[in-house]
Amino acid sequence: MLDVLRKIVQEVSSARDLNTALSIIVRRVRKAMNTDVCSVYLLDSKQGRYVLMNTLGLNTAAIGHASLAPSEGLVGYVGQREEPLNLDDAPSHSRYRYLPETGEERYHSFLGVPIIHQRHALGVLVVQQKVKRKFDEGEEAFLVTIAAQLAAVLAHAQASGSLRISPAGQREMAFFTGLPAAPGVTIGQAVVIMPPADLDSVPVRDCASIPEEKEFFRAALKAVRDDIRSVGQKLANRVSAQEQALFDAYLQMLDEESLGAEVFRKIEDGHWAQGALAYVVKRHVKYLEKVEDSYLRERAADIRDMGRRVLSYLQAGGEIIREYPDNTLLVGEELSPALLGEVPKEKLAGLISVKGSSNSHLAILARAMGIPTVMGLTDLPYAQLDGQQLILDGYRGQVVTNPDDKLRRQYELFIEEEKALTEALEAEAGLPCITQDGHQLPLMLNTGLAADHARALAYGAEGVGLYRTEVQFMMAERFPSEQEQVALYHQQLSAFAPREVTMRTLDIGGDKPLPYFPIIEDNPCLGWRGIRFSLDHPEVFLSQVRAMLRASIGLNNLRILLPMISSVREVEEARALIRRAWVEIKQGEGLAVKKPKVGAMIEVPAALFQIPALAERVDYLSVGSNDLTQYLLAVDRDNPKVAGLYSGYHPAVLQALTKIARDSHAARLPVSICGELAGDPAGAILLLGMGYQSLSMNLASLPRVKAAIRRVKVSEARELLEKVLGCASTDQVVGHLGVFMNDLGLGWLAGPKTQSPN
Ligand code: PEP
Ligand code: MG
């Protein structure tokens, strides 16, 4: 049975459209269960009725017509109760309703199971037989399993538009949820970017002259190289040197020594240039797509993009020059970073990509350039969107197609409010971060990619509370050399000197893979990450620490932070290595390097109970509330399926944060926090109440948090904390925070009030 089941699901998943999928289901299930009838009813949300969408056994003329309300018939009953119904004599059931157009009066036994996706009934799968018999437990379990597996496939088809129960061609407002990749809300016109050339449809052909074909390919390579270079130049003053390096990486792919060389060899075997190129590119892409590491998989997209560009020159000889409308929203299956430079800056309003994640090059660049972006919209029918007005919500990772006037007005209001909010906050951003009763709470900056130093200092950032060094490692092609690291770290340290800069040692693994050092694990977040990797690779760790120490010479504002600490032993071993690096530089080389303060991150729940022991071994603590929330609640911070369960306002998280602050104070150990909660105005007030000595956050959050802190008294923050610590649920906490913020006139700080209706 398992085999049959697997085959059905496989076939359904690869069906080209919903109708084919449904006919596979009814055919295969009827055969596997040896029944007279198998039918699928799907809920048409507009009509609020279950419509017969496919059947084998009932009258096919009824398909698309026969329907039942949830309060009608056995199908409605199954959907309503969201439970299977197994009857040996259906017509004698009180809810039985005979639909003459289906001809089902001949059938007695009935087994219906609901098709449920994310708690919502999408439809009902039914098998029927003439004979009076109850289906056995095994049959019922089989149908339930099939329905559960099909739910996801059907939900995808429904969302992507291949399912149309309502009249075709009717454009309806639809919401698509992907991954938030760069914040901001925007309304604009979709410009769909189709692949310039299709690598899959290049025919196999021999070439007439090998030297001519090679020359032809060389010219196409040069043309693409020129395009990429000019795009890179157009972006030169909008992105940092490191981001610019992404374009160099692109150019390298085209080198005659790398991918290009393979194409030349293929041409020498007698293939024409287009065929040789398509063969080589597809081979690389196929290999990379199989790799488990998500970062490497995304490089497949870059290679395919390059291949298409070269192919377009080989085929037509030239790039298509487009006219971009105002508020262009670029939409595509795999948008490439190179596209960013092709749209004039003043016209580009947002990016929407079906593939990719917040790790993609595109997302990294979009964030750095402040372009609202949503990625990973797997259900989006992107090919049908060209020229349509869309709403892009980069905070929620949502795209709305065909928004109605009401929603559009709401979002316009949202955008206006956001603008006004930014202006109001900018006005007081330079003022000190001091409470109404005179308590100073230093606000620090989280950095990683090119930080806007000047703006951070104008906002009164009192230093860097978290410099995520792994970001530079993730963007490189190999481990950066010690000298390269010295240059990067010196840039950070000198930009903020004399303010302190807290540099976290490499925190790779988990959701932060290195392209050149894949770590494949079943449970990466519980695996080889952070300090565990560093201690197992002392050569990488020592080189990083030496680079930090060298970069700090003469500036003396370095603090080192150790990620993912779960035992004192890790701290002792790391400190021994840090000391060794320091001695090498100080005594070995005679350089005037100051000993940095060393701190531990509290982000693994075990560390919560080790604060007195840690206090004897570190100079300060910094709480990573992002990971702490993930580990305390056992909710993967990157898994959209459980995203609704992840909250820094969960009472258990708040209790844990309070304990950390209390135990640190008792041990006289300075404690700060650098997770996202610190950048949330209401969260920041709670952390003030808990007694955190500084908060570290992204640049964009700084003015918002400062405005909140400047409007409260410490006593009020403590009272609020007292209240929420007594709460049993996240909802209750959120309720209290909302009332508090509104009572203090701080509701506006939570962002524009307008919400998308879901
Ligand atoms: C955290 O876990 O809260 C944190 C600041 O580190 P990261 O988000 O980089 O894991
Ligand atoms: Mg962390």
Side-chain angles (χ1 to χ4, degrees):
M1 223 36 163
L2 190 61
D3 228 28
V4 179
L5 213 142
R6 205 176 287 138
K7 261 199 204 124
I8 298 179
V9 172
Q10 248 169 24
E11 267 188 70
V12 169
S13 306
S14 52
R16 66 175 185 283
D17 56 35
L18 185 79
N19 277 338
T20 320
L22 296 181
S23 75
I24 295 170
I25 294 169
V26 295
R27 213 161 3 100
R28 294 281 181 227
V29 171
R30 191 173 86 146
K31 186 163 174 228
M33 295 184 69
N34 204 11
T35 57
D36 299 321
V37 177
C38 178
S39 317
V40 191
Y41 296 79
L42 292 183
L43 184 66
D44 176 350
S45 49
K46 250 193 150 180
Q47 295 182 42
R49 296 177 75 81
Y50 289 98
V51 182
L52 176 67
M53 295 299 289
N54 211 309
T55 182
L56 254 188
L58 299 185
N59 293 340
T60 48
I63 292 178
H65 303 294
S67 71
L68 292 150
S71 57
E72 290 173 347
L74 297 176
V75 167
Y77 193 50
V78 173
Q80 203 174 39
R81 289 176 66 235
E82 301 189 339
E83 270 193 279
L85 184 64
N86 189 349
L87 303 171
D88 57 355
D89 185 26
S92 65
H93 192 278
S94 61
R95 283 287 299 264
Y96 179 76
R97 189 177 149 210
Y98 168 54
L99 295 177
E101 66 270 39
T102 63
E104 65 179 333
E105 72 278 13
R106 288 168 283 157
Y107 305 106
H108 284 94
S109 48
F110 172 101
L111 172 59
V113 300
I115 303 170
I116 297 179
H117 181 65
Q118 291 178 346
R119 303 187 182 194
H120 296 294
L122 300 180
V124 177
L125 183 58
V126 177
V127 288
Q128 289 170 283
Q129 262 183 303
K130 280 189 194 129
V131 290
K132 280 189 189 172
R133 71 154 183 121
K134 215 163 171 174
F135 289 91
D136 70 29
E137 253 181 43
E139 289 171 310
E140 189 175 320
F142 175 80
L143 205 62
V144 168
T145 315
I146 282 278
Q149 299 242 26
L150 293 175
V153 181
L154 293 179
H156 172 83
Q158 202 166 24
S160 66
S162 56
L163 165 58
R164 270 190 210 292
I165 299 177
S166 310
Q170 193 172 306
R171 285 185 170 182
E172 288 165 23
M173 178 161 77
F175 295 83
F176 297 91
T177 303
L179 304 163
V185 165
T186 175
I187 301 175
Q189 184 177 336
V191 173
V192 175
I193 305 295
M194 280 299 192
D198 186 3
L199 291 159
D200 293 318
S201 54
V202 176
V204 177
R205 201 177 285 168
D206 290 340
C207 67
S209 152
I210 290 176
E212 270 177 31
E213 208 64 20
K214 280 169 78 175
E215 202 36 58
F216 191 30
F217 179 59
R218 200 169 279 124
L221 270 188
K222 181 178 175 314
V224 174
R225 216 180 269 130
D226 290 347
D227 283 347
I228 302 276
R229 215 170 266 138
S230 87
V231 164
Q233 275 158 11
K234 276 190 223 160
L235 285 178
N237 48 10
R238 291 164 64 191
V239 299
S240 74
Q242 292 125 32
E243 287 136 20
Q244 186 76 19
L246 294 178
F247 288 93
D248 295 337
Y250 248 52
L251 285 172
Q252 274 165 20
M253 276 184 219
L254 294 176
D255 262 9
E256 291 187 22
E257 284 79 49
S258 60
L259 213 131
E262 286 184 53
V263 181
F264 278 114
R265 276 200 295 278
K266 208 80 191 131
I267 296 174
E268 277 158 14
D269 288 345
H271 294 272
W272 69 321
Q274 290 187 33
L277 173 79
Y279 173 84
V280 171
V281 169
K282 285 197 301 189
R283 200 168 61 81
H284 280 268
V285 166
K286 205 165 148 199
Y287 168 74
L288 284 173
E289 280 180 344
K290 279 204 208 115
V291 174
E292 290 217 3
D293 178 86
S294 62
Y295 190 94
L296 277 183
R297 269 202 315 273
E298 273 149 21
R299 299 293 72 75
D302 293 348
I303 290 188
R304 195 183 297 117
D305 176 59
M306 280 295 110
R308 283 174 184 153
R309 282 166 185 273
V310 179
L311 187 60
S312 77
Y313 272 101
L314 290 174
Q315 287 176 338
E319 277 281 78
I320 308 150
I321 308 290
R322 269 180 173 273
E323 274 297 312
Y324 291 97
D326 288 342
N327 292 326
T328 290
L329 298 178
L330 284 185
V331 183
E333 192 181 8
E334 285 181 330
L335 293 181
S336 74
L339 269 171
L340 288 179
E342 283 173 16
V343 187
K345 184 182 172 208
E346 63 286 359
K347 299 212 164 180
L348 183 57
L351 304 170
I352 296 168
S353 184
V354 172
K355 291 195 177 168
S357 70
S358 43
N359 269 339
S360 314
H361 281 165
L362 183 76
I364 296 169
L365 285 170
R367 281 197 293 274
M369 294 165 72
I371 304 168
T373 299
V374 180
M375 304 195 61
L377 282 150
T378 43
D379 290 334
L380 189 76
Y382 77 99
Q384 301 161 25
L385 298 182
D386 201 49
Q388 283 196 33
Q389 288 288 316
L390 308 178
I391 292 174
L392 184 165
D393 186 336
Y395 295 110
R396 292 185 177 80
Q398 199 168 57
V399 169
V400 188
T401 58
N402 301 304
D404 61 18
D405 288 347
K406 186 168 159 238
L407 187 74
R408 189 176 227 294
R409 272 197 303 280
Q410 271 182 306
Y411 266 102
E412 279 163 359
L413 203 66
F414 187 111
I415 293 167
E416 267 170 40
E417 281 180 46
E418 199 182 33
K419 206 168 142 228
L421 186 64
T422 309
E423 280 164 13
L425 291 171
E426 294 251 331
E428 61 176 276
L431 301 174
C433 186
I434 190 161
T435 60
Q436 291 281 308
D437 47 356
H439 178 88
Q440 275 214 331
L441 183 66
L443 301 187
M444 318 282 280
L445 196 66
N446 286 355
T447 61
L449 206 62
D452 190 343
H453 304 140
R455 204 143 61 98
L457 293 175
Y459 282 179
E462 301 196 27
V464 173
L466 172 67
Y467 171 52
R468 290 180 163 102
T469 57
E470 60 278 359
V471 177
Q472 309 297 342
F473 279 66
M474 284 165 73
M475 291 181 63
E477 304 272 295
R478 51 170 171 71
F479 286 115
S481 71
E482 196 168 314
Q483 265 324 305
E484 286 165 341
Q485 290 184 65
V486 173
L488 284 168
Y489 302 157
H490 189 267
Q491 229 179 23
Q492 282 280 324
L493 292 166
S494 58
F496 290 92
R499 296 165 191 80
E500 286 185 320
V501 173
T502 306
M503 297 201 162
R504 180 171 73 183
T505 61
L506 201 54
D507 186 19
I508 55 156
D511 60 325
K512 295 178 235 172
L514 292 182
Y516 43 87
F517 196 93
I519 299 173
I520 294 158
E521 294 174 312
D522 285 343
N523 276 311
C525 284
L526 303 182
W528 205 34
R529 54 168 298 197
I531 196 70
R532 303 169 184 182
F533 170 88
S534 292
L535 292 176
D536 286 349
H537 274 284
E539 76 290 10
V540 177
F541 185 68
L542 278 168
S543 139
Q544 181 174 42
V545 171
R546 270 196 308 266
M548 288 177 179
L549 292 171
R550 284 187 205 290
S552 74
I553 293 174
L555 296 167
N556 303 331
N557 59 341
L558 166 70
R559 305 201 315 168
I560 293 181
L561 180 59
L562 307 170
M564 288 292 293
I565 293 296
S566 58
S567 72
V568 291
R569 192 165 169 179
E570 288 164 340
V571 175
E572 286 162 359
E573 288 178 6
R575 286 210 81 144
L577 289 169
I578 293 170
R579 188 178 153 73
R580 187 172 130 190
W582 178 77
V583 169
E584 273 171 29
I585 299 174
K586 171 107 179 154
Q587 290 168 12
E589 301 175 29
L591 296 173
V593 59
K594 205 177 149 228
K595 241 189 205 163
K597 284 186 189 144
V598 177
M601 284 198 76
I602 304 292
E603 51 185 347
V604 177
L608 244 135
F609 304 97
Q610 295 247 277
I611 291 174
L614 286 169
E616 291 171 17
R617 293 161 176 88
V618 293
D619 304 308
Y620 67 96
L621 295 178
S622 180
V623 180
S625 55
N626 306 339
D627 274 315
L628 188 62
T629 305
Q630 147 164 283
Y631 293 127
L632 268 182
L633 304 183
V635 176
D636 180 345
R637 60 195 259 193
D638 290 313
N639 182 348
K641 284 205 195 84
V642 288
L645 300 175
Y646 183 99
S647 172
Y649 291 147
H650 190 293
V653 176
L654 297 176
Q655 297 280 357
L657 293 171
T658 307
K659 174 178 165 53
I660 296 169
R662 203 187 317 117
D663 290 0
S664 304
H665 295 159
R668 298 186 180 285
L669 193 61
V671 64
S672 62
I673 176 160
C674 57
E676 292 299 303
L677 193 66
D680 171 76
I685 293 175
L686 289 178
L687 296 166
L688 168 75
M690 292 177 197
Y692 280 86
Q693 286 141 345
S694 70
L695 311 180
S696 192
M697 64 203 69
N698 295 325
L699 183 59
S701 305
L702 219 138
R704 233 168 249 214
V705 169
K706 183 180 284 187
I709 299 295
R710 285 176 54 81
R711 283 165 175 75
V712 288
K713 291 189 185 139
V714 178
S715 54
E716 288 167 336
R718 288 196 185 129
E719 272 167 35
L720 175 68
L721 177 66
E722 201 66 11
K723 251 186 218 158
V724 300
L725 286 178
C727 288
S729 72
T730 308
D731 288 346
Q732 285 176 13
V733 173
V734 171
H736 277 302
L737 294 180
V739 171
F740 178 86
M741 296 298 272
N742 284 332
D743 283 355
L744 268 188
L746 294 177
W748 58 282
L749 278 179
K753 283 179 208 69
T754 313
Q755 299 285 316
S756 68
N758 62 351

